[in-house]
Amino acid sequence: MSGPPYDGPLLTKLGATWLGVWLTFLCQCGSATRSSATTSALTSAAPNVLVILADDLGWADVGYHGSREGRSPGGRITTPHLDALARAGRRLEAHYVTPQCTPTRTALLTGRFPSRFDTFFVTDEPAFPDDTLTLPRLFKAAGYRTGLVGKWHLGATPGHRPWEQGFDDSYGALSGFVHPWTQDYVPGPLARTWHRNGEALDERGHNTTELVTAEAERLLRGYAGRPWFLMLSHFAVHAPVDAPKNFTATYETLPDDLTPADRDSWRRYLGFVAQLDASVGRLVDVLRDTRQFEDTLILFLSDNGAAGRLEPGHWAERVGDPPLLSTVAGSNAPLRGQKATVWEGGIRTPAFVHWPRRIPEGIEAGVMHVADWLPTFAAILAHAGRALPSLPRDLDGWDQSQRLFGRGVDRPRTLYWKFAGGMAALRQGDWKLITFGRSGYARKKMPTEDPERTDALFDLGRDPYEEHDVARAHPAIVRSLREALVRAARHDEVGRVFSPRHSLFWRPGLSPQTDVYPIP
C-alpha cells in the first residue's frame, strides 16, 4: 500500500505539508463556543486513551437512546454507566462503522476504508498488510504504552498478530466471537487462540466478559504514571449470548406474548448488555481510584449494528457443548436493517467520546466515520508536541478533533461502503445511495419486492429511517452517486483477500460477477 512505512524516522511534528493544511483549517474553524479549557486541551494535553469497542450492540441497546418497549421486550434497557459517560461527554449521533466486525476494526486501526485492503467482509485472513501504520504503532511512536484486551479478528498468522502490530500487551482471542464460558471459536485451526502476549491460556469455565474486564483493570492499574492507549475489544454482545445469572435476573419479567425460546433469548441478551455496561463502570472506577480519570479520553462505539433475528444454523451455534442457541440478538430501532446490511441499522451505532473538562458535553450530529479516529488521535497528539510518524497520504479518515472540542464545522464529504455479494452504499451530504447486489446472499440480506431493482436513494435529512425511496424522482442524483461509487471502488485493492474464485469477490459492479456498473 502507498504511504510511508510506520517505522520510518520519527517526527516531532506531523509532516510539514499535512500540518500546514491542518493549522490553516484550525485558524478557520474558531467559534463562540471556544473556552480556556478547550484551548488548553487543543494545545497542551495528551490524554491517556481508552477505546471500548462493543460487538454487535444495536442503536436501541443503550438506555440513552430511549430503549423502551417496542424496541426491546425488556422495556427500558438498563445501561447506567454508559448513559452517565455519554451524557457527560459528546454523543456522536451520526457515527458510521461498517456492516461487520473485521472491516470496522480495520478502519479503526488504519484510518482507511477497509475495502482499500480488500477487507470488506468478516475474515480470519490478515486484514491489512503487516507494515501498515496502525493506531497502536502511532501511540507507541508518541511514547505510549499500548494494550489490547479481547477480540482481535484481524489475522492470526505471523506478522499480523496484535503483539506484532504495535501492542505491548495483548490478551484474548485472535479469532472472532468466542463462547462466553469456554472461549472457544468454531472448530478449526483457530478454535483455541486464548492467550496473553502470545502464550496460550486455558481459562475454560470462567466467564469471558469477566475475564477481559479483569485484565483491563489490571493493565489500567499497571499503566498508572505513564501515558497509555488501551483498546478493550469486547466479545459482548455477539452470539453465543449469555451472562452470569446476577445480570440476567434483572430481566426475569418479560411480556407474556413471547415464545419460550424468544423469552429465554431476550433475557440472556439483555443480561449480556447489562454485563457490558457493568464492565464499563468497573473501568471508570479503576480510573478514578488511580487518579487517571481526568486525564483519560474514553471512546465508546460498536463495531456494527445488532444482528436482530438470528437464523437457525448461525455460526455461533457451532461452539460449545451444548451450544447456546438464540433466536434474537438486539435491536436497531428505529433505524432500518441490521448487521450485515448497508441500511443505517447495520452501519450506524451508539458512539460517544468523554474527556472531563476537555471535550464539552452535548450532541455531535455531524457525520463521522470509524476511519476518522487515527487522524483525529494523531492531531491531538501533535498538538501536545508528541513525536509521530508520517501519516500515509491516502487516509480516508478525517481529523475530527475540532468537532470533538465543539469548534469545528460539518464539512461535506463522501462515505463509501463495499460489502459482500455486490451490496454497497455511498453517502454524500444527506443523500444516500444503496445498491442491493444481485447475488443470492445480497438478496437474502436485503430483500426487495422487485427482483430487478438494483438501487435505492434516500434523503437522510428528511428520512433518517430510510422509509421512502426517491430514486425515481431524482434520476440525476442517482446517476451522480452511482458514478461516485464507481470512482470510490476503483481505489480498492481487489483480490488480496477474496480471489476471483471466491463467491464474495467483486469489482465496482452490481454483482460479484461483473466488472461493468450499468449507468443508464
Side-chain angles (χ1 to χ4, degrees), residues 8-33:
L10 298 183
L11 305 178
T12 57
K13 297 180 180 180
L14 298 179
T17 300
W18 189 90
L19 184 58
V21 172
W22 196 94
L23 289 173
T24 298
F25 177 65
L26 170 64
C27 294
Q28 294 173 345
C29 289
S31 73
T33 62

Side-chain angles (χ1 to χ4, degrees), residues 181-315:
W181 297 100
T182 68
Q183 298 83 53
D184 288 320
Y185 187 46
V186 294
L190 300 181
R192 292 291 306 175
T193 59
W194 200 251
H195 73 280
R196 178 180 286 115
N197 297 331
E199 297 294 326
L201 293 177
D202 189 342
E203 296 181 302
R204 291 180 177 93
H206 297 279
N207 180 263
T208 300
T209 302
E210 297 302 300
L211 286 173
V212 298
T213 302
E215 183 72 5
E217 290 176 309
R218 184 184 73 83
L219 290 176
L220 289 178
R221 292 187 185 279
Y223 288 170
R226 73 185 95 175
W228 51 263
F229 164 68
L230 179 64
M231 180 173 167
L232 173 51
S233 182
H234 272 286
F235 298 96
V237 287
H238 192 297
V241 174
D242 201 16
K245 290 184 179 180
N246 57 305
F247 294 107
T248 59
T250 305
Y251 296 97
E252 283 300 319
T253 303
L254 292 175
D256 293 334
D257 59 353
L258 292 176
T259 66
D262 280 3
R263 185 177 295 109
D264 175 65
S265 291
W266 271 115
R267 182 179 295 114
R268 285 186 280 123
Y269 184 81
L270 296 172
F272 215 4
V273 174
Q275 186 186 21
L276 170 68
D277 181 74
S279 169
V280 173
R282 286 169 57 180
L283 299 189
V284 169
D285 287 343
V286 170
L287 293 174
R288 292 187 187 279
D289 290 346
T290 55
R291 299 183 179 181
Q292 299 181 91
F293 184 69
E294 298 290 323
D295 299 320
T296 299
L297 184 157
I298 300 174
L299 168 64
F300 178 86
L301 69 159
S302 178
D303 62 352
N304 45 250
R309 197 83 192 174
L310 296 177
E311 301 173 358
H314 186 276
W315 276 24

